[in-house]
Amino acid sequence: MSKKLFIKTWGCQMNVYDSARMADVLAPLGYRPVDEPDGADMVILNTCHIREKAADKVFSELGRLRILKDEKASADDGKMILAVAGCVAQAEGEEIVARAPYVDMVFGPQTYHTLPEMVAKASRAAGSVLNTDFPAESKFDFLPEEATSQGVSAFLAVQEGCDKFCTFCVVPYTRGSEFSRPADQILVEAKRLVASGTREISLLGQNVNAWHGDGPDGSTWGLGRLIRSLAEIDGLARIRYTTSHPRDMDDELIRAHADVPQLMPYLHLPVQSGSDRILAAMNRKHSADDYRRLVDRLRGVNPDLALSSDFIVGFPGESDADFAATLKLVTEVGYAQSYCFKYSPRPGTPAALESAQVPEDVKEARLQALQQLIGAQQVAFNQGFVGRTMPILFDRKGRRPGQLLGRSPWMQSVHAEANERLLNSIVEVRIDDARPNSLAGSVVTGDYASTAHNPVHALEARA
Ligand code: 5AD
Ligand code: SF4
């Protein structure tokens, strides 16, 4: 009999990928995903530890789930196995077991390939199974080959962990040190995805551009070379990668932005701050000018390239002048989109111990100012597309009947009136209207000559 599995995911795209892989590992045990936790046989909270609030949410969610678990037990409907996975589990496993002893399984991001054993233990015994090791083996070698289809746009984890040790960040502790999956394993997974209908692959890694591995030709490959190889897969129309560190943008990867048409012209390249003093205190190992030069080189090879970034405001010791340097950098670079965060001291990270913490009201004011600037840039970026025609990958139905929703090459969300048979394909759309967070357009019928610059998309639009 099939069992109901509910997974709730917080945080980054890597967590979304991990949740899908957990469902793959549990499928042979009879678990099928459901949309609601009520009555589920297993509930997994796949958690994020990057900022403070995320961990708090996990505990309040557990309080609610405990009630559902008790209801299921008193209705004699079997046991609801309650699990906490991901980075909060890795960092605070012991505390979860102590504070919420009704949780059955607590496991970190590197151990979910052992779920069948954990489930067997949790079904038998009372008390929690805690598994937060960094095992010697790679989980990627143990995940089932037969993955559930991820649809037209899919994630593919190629790299995990981080050795950079930015002084604000928990990732090196929760995800462990840098690990690159072998190129042949990645290529096999990519081909399988494309065979199952995927047209767009986003390569994932905490430090994805640090990826390196032995290529099938025996030489050492970097991410640029891997992308070139992926671009040879017939039917794979779009390639993206995230998240990158400025220090790891090598020449070959930059060149790929010039001459691999499948590589989308959008790059998430976090800089965090525009002040050299703060960048040094963050241990970013690059200056604001290094970043400016890198952006110039990228735009030099591909003038269409749009950038996004992450920023932290109120890092310990950040002065008004430091913050002004961030605003200056943002103004000079010009972003399509960005994410701004108030610095949040994370236990176990060096910056949390700094005495010069910035007061909350100052953080809040800087966040507002930066968001305003970023928001204005985003509006201007989107406005620039009105009247232009571009290829949209329709991957969802829109909210209104007869409407499809998709993504532009620049990651904009685009909706248009469109026949449902266009779902899961790449279609030329003329942009009629720009809003801060989305674009509205009309499907272009007839002559697609204007898209001939991109052979992949032009072909598809005609098909
Ligand atoms: N406080 C605030 N923001 C943080 N980030 C990472 N750690 C912290 C922290 N302690 C942000 C960074 C990173 C993004 C994923 O989250 O900007 O790039
Ligand atoms: Fe965290 Fe810095 Fe590593 Fe990114 S590069 S995961 S911010 S330590």
Side-chain angles (χ1 to χ4, degrees), residues 10 15 45-59 62 84-97 106-109 130 132 170 174-175 346:
W10 283 273
N15 263 15
L45 302 180
N46 193 9
T47 62
C48 169
H49 202 237
I50 200 106
R51 283 172 296 275
E52 208 169 356
K53 288 218 173 72
D56 295 343
K57 280 188 209 145
V58 174
F59 282 105
L62 281 175
V84 181
C87 294
V88 176
Q90 186 66 45
E92 297 183 24
E94 308 265 347
E95 197 188 330
I96 295 167
V97 171
V106 179
F107 54 95
L130 177 66
T132 51
V170 287
T174 56
R175 290 273 172 175
R346 307 308 289 129

Side-chain angles (χ1 to χ4, degrees), residues 50 161-173 178 206-207 243-246 248 270 272 282-284 310 312:
I50 200 106
C162 182
D163 296 339
K164 299 280 187 301
F165 291 93
C166 298
T167 55
F168 52 79
C169 187
V170 287
V171 166
Y173 313 99
E178 275 179 16
Q206 266 86 35
N207 236 302
T243 287
S244 294
H245 193 289
D248 291 320
Q272 314 293 357
M282 286 177 166
N283 192 32
R284 293 288 294 178
D310 295 337
I312 295 178

